[in-house]
């Protein structure tokens, strides 16, 4: 893509490289570099669809490193651009991730509202292989609120969907979810 000067394909390739790197242990630096380059290209090209994906990926890299302020900025911009473009396919992702920012900031009501909105949008689109992600967010919200039984049911539903779709929980997400899972489990024992 670089040799052919095909900047649109290059930006999409960089997003995919970022996506592959973001979940690897120690891959945050490489992921961020890929997303940042794709972001610059998408802004230069004026490609709103590439821009939305870049913002979300870059926000995720910051969320996983607990830089909540920067993550929130990127997710907010991605969500706003999704709404502006009517992109209901991508919109659940930045909303879900904003839910994580809220949860990690102890804004439990906002977290739950955002995770519910993500799940509702997914259902409106006929369900999604990502539904388990939104259920996990809601499970963590319930765990944070001390609603152990509700958290357990949501974690169970999410796990069943993960198994049905063949998606495993990435270690980076496990580190976000684990305190809520363990807290709910200890309340039920």
């Amino acid at each position: 893509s670089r040799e052919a000067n095909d900047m649109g394909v290059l930006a999409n390739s960089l997003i995919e490289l970022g996506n592959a790197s973001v979940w690897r242990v120690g891959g945050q630096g490489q992921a961020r570099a890929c997303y940042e380059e794709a972001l610059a290209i998408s802004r230069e090209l004026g490609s709103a669809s590439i821009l939305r994906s870049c913002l979300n990926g870059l926000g995720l890299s910051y969320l996983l490193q607990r830089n909540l302020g920067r993550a929130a900025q990127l997710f907010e911009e991605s969500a706003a651009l999704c709404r502006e473009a009517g992109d209901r396919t991508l919109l659940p992702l930045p909303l879900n991730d904003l839910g994580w920012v809220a949860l990690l900031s102890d804004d439990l009501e906002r977290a739950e509202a955002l995770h519910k909105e993500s799940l509702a949008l997914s259902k409106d689109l006929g369900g999604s292989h990502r539904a388990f992600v939104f259920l996990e967010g809601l499970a963590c919200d319930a765990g944070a609120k001390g609603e152990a039984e509700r958290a357990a049911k949501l974690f169970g539903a999410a796990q069943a969907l993960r198994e049905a779709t063949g998606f495993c929980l990435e270690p980076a997400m496990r580190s976000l979810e684990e305190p809520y899972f363990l807290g709910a489990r200890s309340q039920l024992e």
Side-chain angles (χ1 to χ4, degrees), residues 43-96:
R43 290 193 194 280
E44 184 179 311
L45 292 175
S47 174
S49 63
I50 296 173
L51 179 60
R52 292 189 299 271
S53 292
C54 289
L55 291 166
N56 210 60
L58 187 57
L60 180 61
S61 74
Y62 281 104
L63 173 65
L64 293 173
Q65 293 198 313
R66 310 304 195 274
N67 184 336
L68 302 181
R70 183 66 178 134
Q73 291 171 339
L74 294 160
F75 294 139
E76 290 284 0
E77 185 177 356
S78 179
L81 290 171
C82 286
R83 289 187 196 281
E84 183 180 303
D87 184 349
R88 294 172 47 89
T89 302
L90 183 63
L91 181 58
L93 295 179
L95 293 178
N96 179 68

Side-chain angles (χ1 to χ4, degrees), residues 115-185:
H115 288 135
K116 281 182 178 179
E117 185 177 359
S118 297
L119 184 60
L121 284 168
S122 175
K123 286 174 71 175
D124 287 349
L125 295 170
S128 157
H129 68 276
R130 296 182 186 126
F132 55 82
V133 173
F134 312 136
L135 287 171
E136 288 164 346
L138 285 168
C140 291
D141 300 336
K145 290 179 171 184
E147 300 170 355
E149 191 170 312
R150 181 170 174 254
K153 288 178 182 178
L154 289 164
F155 276 122
Q159 180 62 32
L161 281 175
R162 273 194 182 279
E163 289 172 4
T165 58
F167 283 87
C168 62
L169 183 61
E170 297 85 2
M173 280 308 292
R174 185 178 318 276
S175 72
L176 285 179
E177 292 181 10
E178 197 166 48
Y180 305 103
F181 177 79
L182 293 175
R185 183 162 62 177

